[in-house]
Each structure stands twice: as C-alpha cells, then as structure tokens.
C-alpha cells in the first residue's frame, strides 16, 4: 500500500507525457541547434512546443525561456533584473514566505549591496496590500511574490499587487510553480512581467522549467555560453524535457477545472474526517484562500518528524516543516512567518493531494493517523 | 537530504522500550534541545546503588525516541558508576549508525542521563 500525499514536492510523471518524450531519448536525439535535417526537424519541434506552451499560458512565445527548472528561473529573473537595472534603483521586495530559491537569493543580493524588503504575511498566511504599499519606493526595481505557497498553499492577491507595482513603475515577478496546476493563469491578462514554472509539479518531467520574461525589460543571463534561447540562457536544449513540459501543461490546463473540483472535494472530505477523528488539530493558514490540494495541519503535543516516519512505515508519504526533519535543524520559516509559537513549530504535517488521490486513500490515511497520534501522545511529556 | 534510519532505529521508534513515568521516582530530569525543540523526561528508581528501573517520555522525532530507548535499556540494572560510563558513541553504534544531523539526539539522551544521575546524587546527599 502506498499513498502519496507529497505532491507539492513532486508529482508522478504522466504516462502520455512519458510517451511523448521517449522518441527524443531514442532516434530523435539530434541537437535542435544543429543545421542538418535531423537537427532542424527537432528545432521545429522545439519551437512548436514553445508555441503550445505560450498558448496555454496565454502569452506570446517570445516571452518563454526554457530553464532547468523553477529554481533556475527564479535565480535568473531576480538576479538578472536586479543587476541589469541598477540605473533604475537597487530595491527589491519579496514576501516572507517565498521558496528558498527566491528567499535565499534575496538574502544573497542583500549581502551584495542591494536593498531588500521582506513583506510579512498575516496569521492567515496572506500578505497585506496596505503593508505592501508602504514598502514600494521610487527606486523599487522588482517585486517578487508567489501566486501560491508551497508549504501552506495560501494564495496571494497578486492581481492587486501587480496593479500597484505597475503604478509605481516597477516590475513584477511571480513564482507560479504551485499555482499552475489549479489556478487559471493568463500571463498577459495579469500583466505579469516575469514568472517561473516547473514541469515536475504538474506531472511533467524533473529538470525542466520556464522563465517568462518581458523582452522589453533588461535582464542579465545567468548562464553564458553557446547563446541558445536568444542569449538569455545558454546550454544544449533538453528537448525531451521541453516536449514533456509542453505535453504536461497541455493536459494540466485542459483538466484544470475538473481537477480543481475533484481534488477540493477529496481534500475537504479529508479535513472533515480529520476534525472528526483527531482532537485538537489546527489548520495552518487560511483554508479559503488556498490551493485545493493542500492541507497543513498542526497536531498538538507531538513532533512532526515522528508522525511523518510512522506514516511512512504505513506507506503514507507526507512532509513536515519540523526542525527535526531539516538538515540545518531549523523550523520552517514559512510557519514562523505565520506567527506560530516556538512550541507549535515542530508539530506540523503538510498533506498535498493530487487528482489521483481517492476517498479510500483518505480513509486509510485517517485510520492510521488516528492510531499514530494516539500512540505518540500517550508518551508525550507535554501536558 | 539523506535521512536513512537503520531498521534497528525504526524498530526502536515504533516499539520503544521503557516508555512511561515512574511514580515516586528516586530521581527525575527533563532535557530539551534548544536547536530542534525536542524534549525528554526521565524518571529513575535506584536500589542498592543499582538502577532498578528507568523510564522516559518524549516530545521528539524518531531518533529521539530510539536513542532514549537504547540508553535506558543500556543502563537498566547497572550501577550508577557503570551508567556514568555510557557514551553517545555506544548508542550510535548499537543502532548501526545514525544520520549525521541526528547524532545530537544520542548526545541528548546521554545528557539526560547525566542530569538524572546528578539529580539522584543531589537527593542522596540530603
Ligand atoms: C514554490 C516553488 N518555487 C520553486 C520551486 C523549485 O522548482 P524546481 O524544483 O524546478 O527547481 C519549487 C519546488 O520545489 C516550489 O515549490
Ligand atoms: S531530537 Fe529530533 S532532531 Fe534532535
């Protein structure tokens, strides 16, 4: 028995996507930059993939730069824009709960002399527009705020934030990694300058992603070399990955509405059963303004990693923000930003569902979770 | 991140030894780790200089529970002087190794033991 509830970490590769990718690991291996016919045939496939992706994101293909994933896209965009636009200023705003590929990068830029502000979240896990307004400055170059968070799934009011940012004459970037599978996102309608996407979060392959750029805005490349992607990103094309990303996005977008509804129903059932079967649980972050596949739950008086390991011994796979599970033994900064007290930080489990999660999976999870919580509580010293 | 627990560690986590609290103990100690936020409570009964019984409660991760199990198993029946000689390396060895970032859990179990013995010796003097 295996029940995978860690879909915010990565998702299962879709069978159709795998099938679409295989020829590029077999006979269609040519480099799309090569001039011979095999190379140029692949070049057409590369550009066709780009067109399809652009259409599904409701933007134009000249805005799509392929990368190795969203970490690279985030690094490329934020560092590239901040470094290339120093005539505009040195000020960057990010939220306090960005993914480490934004958060730690911003800290690095701060060390290198850039002026960085971290926009806090409220106790619901959402940034406040009024606080944001106060942070905008004349020399604000870029604002980077994710559409939805990877730990607590909360959704940020990016439409409003984009509007204010534009009025201020600054640029806006959004990490769309977690949102893309469930939220209707039109890059052009949102008036987004920059965005990051990663294929492996919507049943595509790992190691491939997209940086959405605005060709009118100056940006420095992160990887310099052979000049692929219009010099924005050098490196031989990962064509199998790009084809896989394109296919996965196509499937994901065509099923988005249906998946959103289905996943939310299962998630809501999960929460209902949790509340019924396990006393004293708390939900971290706003339930309403949250991705439909996310539940981040606090279990009082017991430690998160212990819950995770015992669930894993039953074939149920989740993740935790507990210090005990981190290499640096630090609790999740996202949960800290939510305002959790010290003694609350290490008792949290993130469940992230997929379109394949069934009610039976949830029943099995609840049955086991109930036993596990009871056992761990039975010897907790915390009264 | 590599967090591969040995089978023995997992067994001790899922079926811990010496769980609980001794009523009217001869010594007790609580130890917390400021780094990871975990906590262990120990209680002990001593008879004729030997540790007759030792139990623990835990707010902690799998390795915290496993290391406390091994530690309490190791000192049960030993004299106080023998128990003082137990070292965290012994615990790690007994478990067949611990992930690097989890070694401190074994140190915490030993620190708890030291604190427990100190409490016992303090009460003995009174
Ligand atoms: C919100 C968010 N941004 C960025 C990333 C990084 O993506 P990638 O694994 O493609 O580097 C992740 C995934 O771990 C994520 O959840
Ligand atoms: S006791 Fe769990 S990591 Fe320290």
């Amino acid at each position: 028995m295996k029940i995978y509830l860690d879909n915010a970490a990565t998702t299962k590769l879709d069978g159709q996507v795998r099938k679409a990718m295989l020829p590029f690991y077999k006979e269609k291996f040519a480099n799309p930059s090569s001039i011979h016919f095999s190379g140029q045939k692949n070049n057409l496939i590369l550009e066709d993939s780009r067109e399809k992706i652009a259409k599904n994101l409701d933007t134009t293909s000249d805005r799509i730069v392929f990368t190795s994933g969203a970490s690279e896209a985030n690094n490329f965009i934020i560092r590239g824009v901040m470094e290339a636009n120093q005539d505009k200023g040195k000020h960057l705003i990010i939220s306090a709960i960005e993914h480490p590929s934004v958060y730690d990068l911003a800290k690095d830029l701060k060390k290198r002399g850039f002026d960085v502000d971290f926009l806090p979240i409220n106790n619901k896990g959402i940034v406040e527009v009024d606080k944001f307004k106060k942070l905008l400055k004349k020399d604000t170059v870029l604002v980077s705020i994710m559409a939805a968070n990877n730990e607590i799934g909360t959704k940020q009011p990016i439409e409003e934030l984009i509007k204010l940012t534009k009025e201020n004459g600054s640029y806006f970037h959004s990490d769309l990694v977690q949102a893309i599978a469930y939220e209707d996102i039109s890059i052009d309608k949102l008036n987004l300058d920059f965005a990051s996407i990663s294929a492996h979060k919507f049943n595509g392959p790992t190691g491939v992603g997209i940086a959405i750029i605005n060709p009118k805005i100056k940006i420095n490349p992160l990887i310099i070399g052979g000049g692929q992607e219009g010099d924005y990103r050098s490196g031989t094309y990962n064509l199998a990955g790009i084809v896989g990303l394109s296919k996965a996005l196509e499937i994901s977008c065509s099923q988005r509405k249906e998946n959103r509804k289905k996943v939310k129903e299962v998630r809501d059932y999960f929460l209902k059963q949790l509340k019924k079967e396990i006393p004293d649980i708390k939900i971290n972050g706003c339930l309403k303004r949250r991705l439909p596949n996310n539940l981040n739950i606090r279990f009082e008086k017991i430690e998160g990693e212990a819950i995770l390991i015992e669930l894993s011994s039953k074939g149920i796979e989740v993740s935790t923000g507990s210090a005990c599970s981190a290499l640096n033994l630090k609790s999740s900064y996202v949960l800290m930003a939510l305002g959790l007290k010290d003694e609350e930080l290490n008792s949290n489990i993130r469940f992230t569902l997929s379109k394949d999660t069934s009610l039976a999976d949830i029943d099995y999870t609840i049955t086991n979770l109930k036993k596990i919580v009871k056992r761990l509580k039975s010897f907790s010293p915390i009264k | 991140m590599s967090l591969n627990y040995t089978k023995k560690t997992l067994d001790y986590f899922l079926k811990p030894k010496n769980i609980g609290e001794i009523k009217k103990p001869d010594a007790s100690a609580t130890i917390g780790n400021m780094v990871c936020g975990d906590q262990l409570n120990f209680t002990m009964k001593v008879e004729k200089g030997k540790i007759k019984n030792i139990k623990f409660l835990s707010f902690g991760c799998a390795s915290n529970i496993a290391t406390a199990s091994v530690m309490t198993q190791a000192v049960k029946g030993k004299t106080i002087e023998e128990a003082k000689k137990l070292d965290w390396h012994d615990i790690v060895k007994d478990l067949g190794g611990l992930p690097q970032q989890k070694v401190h859990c074994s140190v915490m179990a030993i620190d708890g033991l030291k604190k427990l013995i100190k409490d016992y010796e303090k009460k003995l003097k009174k």
Side-chain angles (χ1 to χ4, degrees):
Chain A
M1 191 83 158
K2 186 141 153 185
I3 293 170
Y4 184 73
L5 300 175
D6 198 17
N7 288 279
T10 196
T11 58
K12 188 176 155 193
L13 186 69
D14 182 284
Q16 270 175 277
V17 173
R18 188 190 314 113
K19 211 172 138 208
M21 291 170 70
L22 274 178
F24 301 93
Y25 287 125
K26 291 183 184 163
E27 68 280 3
K28 297 191 185 176
F29 61 86
N31 189 328
S33 305
S34 292
I35 308 300
H36 48 67
F37 293 166
S38 298
Q40 287 305 300
K41 255 190 205 156
N42 275 356
N43 194 275
L44 288 176
I45 290 166
L46 170 72
E47 293 312 321
D48 182 55
S49 302
R50 196 191 305 275
E51 285 297 333
K52 282 189 184 139
I53 290 166
K55 205 171 246 168
N56 277 317
L57 296 172
D58 197 17
T59 188
T60 48
S61 56
D62 60 334
R63 301 194 53 190
I64 290 177
V65 176
F66 291 117
T67 66
S68 65
S71 296
E72 185 193 325
N74 285 337
N75 274 262
F76 162 49
I77 291 166
I78 296 170
R79 190 187 292 280
V81 170
M82 291 311 293
E83 281 181 354
N85 292 277
Q86 294 187 51
D87 52 333
K88 249 175 98 74
K90 288 196 138 200
H91 185 223
L92 166 71
I93 303 174
I94 72 161
S95 87
I97 59 167
E98 295 299 312
H99 185 265
S101 57
V102 172
Y103 193 83
D104 287 351
L105 173 69
K107 285 201 285 190
D108 181 68
L109 288 172
K110 194 167 180 161
K111 257 195 277 172
R112 291 167 196 272
F114 286 92
D115 176 19
V116 183
D117 272 312
F118 298 82
L119 176 62
I121 52 169
N122 59 23
N123 61 9
K124 293 190 143 89
I126 311 219
V127 302
E128 283 175 7
V129 175
D130 284 343
K131 286 209 174 118
F132 176 65
K133 279 188 199 159
K134 287 191 192 123
L135 288 182
L136 280 170
K137 294 199 275 200
K138 225 176 106 196
D139 71 334
T140 304
V141 176
L142 183 67
V143 174
S144 177
I145 296 185
M146 64 200 335
N149 181 262
N150 44 304
E151 287 188 42
I152 52 179
T154 50
K155 298 191 276 187
Q156 303 304 332
I158 60 168
E159 265 176 76
E160 228 177 321
L161 301 173
I162 292 170
K163 207 168 141 263
L164 290 164
T165 302
K166 292 304 172 81
E167 281 167 13
N168 194 59
S170 314
Y171 308 133
F172 199 95
H173 165 251
S174 188
D175 178 334
L176 303 178
V177 169
Q178 295 291 338
I180 200 79
Y182 297 104
E183 296 296 297
D184 297 317
I185 286 168
S186 156
I187 301 288
D188 287 355
K189 277 202 202 84
L190 273 172
N191 205 2
L192 255 178
D193 297 310
F194 300 96
S196 308
I197 287 169
S198 182
H200 74 99
K201 308 285 185 178
F202 49 91
N203 306 100
T206 11
V208 61
I210 304 170
I212 304 279
I213 57 148
N214 181 341
K216 294 194 194 100
I217 301 172
K218 284 187 283 181
I219 184 167
N220 288 349
L222 190 65
I223 300 175
I224 294 170
Q228 288 89 344
E229 294 297 80
D231 264 340
Y232 286 121
R233 201 276 188 184
S234 288
T236 300
Y237 287 104
N238 170 11
L239 187 58
I242 291 166
V243 167
L245 190 161
S246 172
K247 186 75 192 166
L249 188 65
E250 182 190 318
I251 297 171
S252 177
C253 289
S254 70
Q255 300 179 349
R256 192 187 269 147
K257 203 170 154 200
E258 176 193 332
N259 289 344
R260 183 164 56 216
K261 185 162 173 277
K262 195 167 135 195
V263 172
K264 186 173 179 299
E265 273 169 17
V266 179
R267 196 266 320 263
D268 290 348
Y269 172 74
F270 188 13
L271 182 59
K272 193 183 97 196
Q273 294 304 99
L274 262 178
K275 281 182 174 161
K276 197 168 106 191
E277 300 294 339
I278 302 171
D280 316 324
I281 59 150
K282 301 261 164 29
I283 305 165
N284 292 311
C286 183
L287 182 63
K288 254 180 144 174
R289 298 191 50 173
R290 170 191 297 259
L291 291 175
N293 73 330
N294 175 294
L295 264 190
N296 191 307
I297 299 288
R298 189 157 86 243
F299 296 89
E300 313 266 276
K301 305 183 180 100
I302 54 180
E303 197 281 323
E305 196 235 84
I307 304 172
L308 180 149
I309 296 286
E310 194 164 353
L311 278 170
S312 192
S313 78
K314 302 288 178 198
I316 303 161
E317 302 181 318
V318 301
S319 89
T320 172
S322 167
C324 285
S325 76
L327 206 50
N328 60 3
L329 294 173
K330 283 198 180 125
S331 310
S332 151
Y333 62 87
V334 173
L335 297 176
M336 280 191 215
L338 253 188
L340 263 60
K341 297 195 208 84
D342 282 353
E343 65 272 22
E344 298 172 336
L345 280 169
N346 294 322
S347 303
N348 306 285
I349 297 287
R350 177 186 76 179
F351 304 92
T352 44
L353 286 56
S354 81
K355 59 185 159 66
D356 303 320
T357 310
S358 69
L359 294 178
D361 292 344
I362 298 302
D363 286 337
Y364 178 81
T365 303
I366 295 278
T367 306
N368 282 287
L369 202 49
K370 197 176 162 183
K371 284 187 209 152
I372 291 167
V373 169
K374 196 170 162 209
R375 179 181 91 93
L376 295 175
K377 262 191 192 160
S378 76
F379 53 81
S380 170
I382 298 162
K383 296 290 181 291
Chain B
M1 179 175 79
S2 159
L3 224 182
N4 280 304
Y5 287 130
T6 60
K7 185 171 179 304
K8 202 161 176 192
T9 307
L10 288 174
D11 286 347
Y12 270 120
F13 162 57
L14 294 170
K15 294 195 177 71
K17 304 281 190 230
N18 310 311
I19 280 285
E21 216 170 355
I22 300 169
K23 297 257 160 62
K24 294 188 192 155
D26 295 320
S28 65
T30 294
I31 186 136
N33 184 313
M34 291 317 286
V35 184
C36 60
D38 288 353
Q39 193 184 318
L40 284 166
N41 285 25
F42 293 99
T43 43
M44 172 171 80
K45 244 339 193 203
V46 182
E47 242 179 58
K48 294 180 190 147
K50 274 190 179 166
I51 298 174
K52 181 151 185 275
N53 202 0
I54 177 168
K55 283 183 184 288
F56 75 95
L57 297 174
S58 156
F59 171 90
C61 58
S63 70
N64 171 291
I65 293 165
T67 51
S69 289
V70 171
M71 185 279 277
T72 50
Q73 283 293 82
V75 299
K76 216 160 138 180
K78 297 261 168 71
T79 64
I80 294 290
E81 290 312 310
E82 283 166 341
K84 279 181 183 170
K85 287 192 194 120
L86 189 70
D87 182 270
W88 61 266
H89 291 95
D90 303 327
I91 299 178
V92 177
K93 208 168 142 201
D94 190 342
L95 290 169
L98 272 175
Q100 198 202 334
Q101 74 272 29
K102 291 288 178 178
V103 170
H104 76 269
C105 306
S106 66
V107 177
M108 185 166 153
I110 292 293
D111 287 348
L113 175 66
K114 284 182 186 152
K115 207 168 163 191
L116 189 64
I117 292 174
K118 212 177 237 169
D119 184 61
Y120 174 71
E121 289 176 338
K122 203 173 81 197
K123 282 181 179 147
L124 210 58
K125 274 185 201 143
K126 277 187 189 163

